[in-house]
Amino acid sequence: MNAIETINLNVYYGEKHVIKNITMNIPKNVVFTIMGPSGCGKSTLLRSFNRLLELNETARITGDIKLFGESIFDMDPRELRKRVGMVFQQPNPFPHLSIYDNVAIGPKLNRLVESKEELDKLVEWALKKAALWDEVKDRLNDPATKLSGGQQQRLCIARALAIKPEVLLLDEPTSALDPVSTAKIESLLIELKKSYTIVLVTHNMQQAARVGDYTAFILDGELIEVGETSQIFENPRDRRTEEYITGRFG
């Protein structure tokens, strides 16, 4: 069974047709990258997977999206967002909370734990999963804003993992980071796919080639091509994919 399936998916912002009749499958326990030029609809497609688009009053969706075989539109949005976590382009830790409380807030609000001891274990587990524990274990009560940009982004990943999602959506999570922090995030994604399905929007083709098991190429809201990443980069079936990869447009 696939982690996510889209079936004739269309998204409109008012009269503007942003996602155009996309049908594709995202297998489970892979890094699935979505690439394409700026403004092509990548982030809109990603946000449709956990119904974040519904927070935009101008957005309208037709078609269906299935999470492990069940339509997400039959689910309570809050329950869906527990199962499908999201990390955004700019690190956005809660500025008035400590490192510990940034990770703990989701489990507390969702009543995932019953004791302080359980919460402590969950926070430690999430920070270890995000490859951050060794760097922050002695300063958990410091404000999250004292962390570097790369550390803040890994903290946001830990925060998303703490609610035990099945799928993790990442919207260009390294675009604001330096190469060292980017490399740490990429290594983390490869490790996390053992337990999660990772859907990564990136404008960085080299990043898609490095970490992606499967890649979809989106252009002007249309799915041009999807397949194993090696095939997309080494033997693209569509001329537009080849032109984008070789830098002739985009």
Side-chain angles (χ1 to χ4, degrees), residues 35-214:
M35 68 175 188
S38 296
C40 71
K42 303 185 298 293
S43 293
T44 295
L45 179 62
L46 192 74
R47 289 168 187 240
S48 71
F49 295 155
N50 68 350
R51 293 176 58 179
L52 272 184
L53 295 183
E54 293 176 15
L55 303 177
N56 184 325
E57 292 181 358
T58 68
R60 180 169 61 89
I61 301 173
T62 66
D64 200 6
I65 303 168
K66 292 187 175 182
L67 178 68
F68 296 103
E70 181 183 356
S71 174
I72 67 170
F73 301 108
D74 293 334
M75 302 177 188
D76 180 289
R78 291 168 297 181
E79 292 299 318
L80 171 65
R81 290 173 197 140
K82 288 181 197 175
R83 298 178 64 187
V84 183
M86 180 128 188
V87 176
F88 296 93
Q89 184 172 357
Q90 294 289 338
N92 62 341
F94 300 125
H96 304 300
L97 295 182
S98 67
I99 294 167
Y100 179 97
D101 286 334
N102 259 274
V103 181
I105 189 168
K108 282 182 181 177
L109 290 174
N110 291 294
R111 299 179 180 175
L112 298 183
V113 292
E114 295 181 356
S115 68
K116 177 69 163 61
E117 183 182 7
E118 283 184 276
L119 185 60
D120 289 347
K121 287 181 179 178
L122 182 54
V123 169
E124 180 177 344
W125 172 86
L127 288 168
K128 283 180 174 176
K129 277 287 187 184
L132 190 58
W133 174 252
D134 288 341
E135 296 169 43
V136 303
K137 62 184 178 183
D138 296 323
R139 49 183 181 134
L140 293 175
N141 293 320
D142 285 0
T145 48
K146 283 195 172 182
L147 297 175
S148 70
Q151 289 174 325
Q152 287 186 25
Q153 193 64 300
R154 281 182 284 145
L155 179 64
C156 292
I157 292 172
R159 188 175 67 196
L161 294 176
I163 59 171
K164 299 291 184 82
E166 297 160 72
V167 175
L168 192 59
L169 310 177
L170 299 108
D171 191 358
E172 299 196 28
T174 62
S175 64
L177 303 182
D178 61 83
V180 172
S181 296
T182 295
K184 286 183 178 181
I185 297 280
E186 290 180 359
S187 296
L188 174 60
L189 299 184
I190 292 169
E191 180 66 26
L192 287 175
K193 73 179 181 183
K194 296 174 185 175
S195 305
Y196 307 91
T197 299
I198 310 289
V199 187
L200 171 69
V201 160
T202 181
H203 67 277
N204 184 326
M205 284 182 285
Q206 290 78 17
Q207 182 172 73
R210 285 192 297 266
V211 304
D213 298 296
Y214 293 84

